[in-house]
Amino acid sequence: MSMTEEQAAWFAETFAKLVTNVGQAVLGKPQAVRLILTSMLAEGHVLLEDAPGTGKTMLARALAATVQGTTSRIQFTPDLLPSDVTGITIYDQKTQAFEFHRGPIFANVVLADEINRASPKTQSALLEVMEESRVTVDGTTYTQERPFMVIATQNPIEQAGTYRLPEAQLDRFLIKTSMGYPDHAATVELLAGSATRDRSAALTAVITSAAVRDMADLAASVHTDTSVLEYIAHLAAATREAPETRLGVSVRGALAMVRAAKVWAAAEGRNYVLPDDVLTLAPSVFTHRLVMDPEAEFAGATASAVLDQVLASTAAPQQRVNA
């Protein structure tokens, strides 16, 4: 059953309240907050490529407080083990049974800080839980509660002692974006409130975690016309056919776009997706999935430029189709 106009209006109103509430702790970044909330309601994950000190930890805490959820932070280091992320099974001599001690991955919002500093083996511990929302340890599967989102960060400047994220893991991030530094006015406001070390601590929940699950289920019912689906498929194919790329947008990436566009449309108060929703989200959803050809990259080609060319050369459907 498709979302009704009344439900779309409620969704947009609630979404705006969530953005405003998180914005009390993360100043001057409404677009980034909208993208990250879109990822949460599309049940996806976010990769933030940012310099240190731009408020990434504050964002995770503010988001968890806003949806009455739990949060955890994992500092990825070269000596971090997979069990440090997922948890470990320990034998209890009193009960003479093995007990599973949950790792920090079992939270509603998980901040994986400097994810590219951990070894590929440790990074791979996130693959199952990010894709299937479950963790398997010693043959036993533990289900992750909804909502669940990983916000992973990596430093774009300092690359010494880091491991490049494999394409299979990058493809599991629904959105890649950056917070960036706040503008002048937001910076002054932050400096004026320097006595408050944790701005997220004062936030009150706007909705419950159960309501977030309802919003995610409701967003999934947004109508997406066949012409829009064909448009997304054409864009994905065009990125794969571009001579500058070795790997384009996968089917998983196209599905991610559909999920994200549905949430974005609902956040705008519509119960149907427009091609403009796809155009708006394409840089955040598609760019990090493009693997450039080394020769083309050496010649100056970039993933952003390739995507811009694909968007410009692929005709978008003209009709505005309501549900």
Side-chain angles (χ1 to χ4, degrees), residues 45-47 49 154 164-177 247-249 252-253 256 281-292 303-304 307:
H45 310 284
V46 176
L47 178 61
E49 191 170 71
Q154 59 180 3
R164 182 179 178 180
L165 295 182
E167 285 72 22
Q169 185 164 350
L170 280 172
D171 204 27
R172 283 170 168 79
F173 288 102
L174 189 145
I175 282 174
K176 179 182 178 183
T177 187
L247 194 66
V249 175
R252 181 191 285 123
L281 291 168
S284 300
V285 177
F286 281 166
T287 305
H288 65 284
R289 304 175 193 274
L290 305 185
V291 179
M292 303 299 295
S304 297
L307 182 60

Side-chain angles (χ1 to χ4, degrees), residues 98-116:
F98 286 96
E99 292 184 358
F100 178 62
H101 292 247
R102 292 172 178 257
I105 197 64
F106 288 93
N108 297 124
V109 180
V110 178
L111 180 66
D113 212 2
E114 294 188 292
I115 187 174
N116 54 337

